[in-house]
Amino acid sequence: MDDPNNLPLELLRNISRIGLAFNNDDLGNEAAQVVKSMLPQAKRIAPSGRT
């Protein structure tokens, strides 16, 4: 995903479980927060290793 505004929100809003996987850096954390604000049912899946 290069831009959260390009997400198919109408489709995704009807899905009850969504996993978000982003890098564990400032940009990844910011992107995850933006998407989570748009899709509150989404859960963040943080990477366990280094980015």
Side-chain angles (χ1 to χ4, degrees):
M1 175 194 79
D2 59 346
D3 183 352
N5 293 315
N6 291 331
L7 289 172
L9 291 177
E10 292 304 317
L11 172 70
L12 295 172
R13 283 188 179 120
N14 295 319
I15 298 174
S16 61
R17 292 179 60 180
I18 298 174
L20 303 176
F22 292 95
N23 287 341
N24 196 19
D25 58 12
D26 290 342
L27 289 176
N29 292 330
E30 181 180 338
Q33 288 302 317
V34 168
V35 174
K36 193 149 173 48
S37 72
M38 298 166 84
L39 298 166
Q41 76 274 31
K43 299 288 184 206
R44 174 81 188 270
I45 303 167
S48 59
R50 298 186 328 172
T51 60

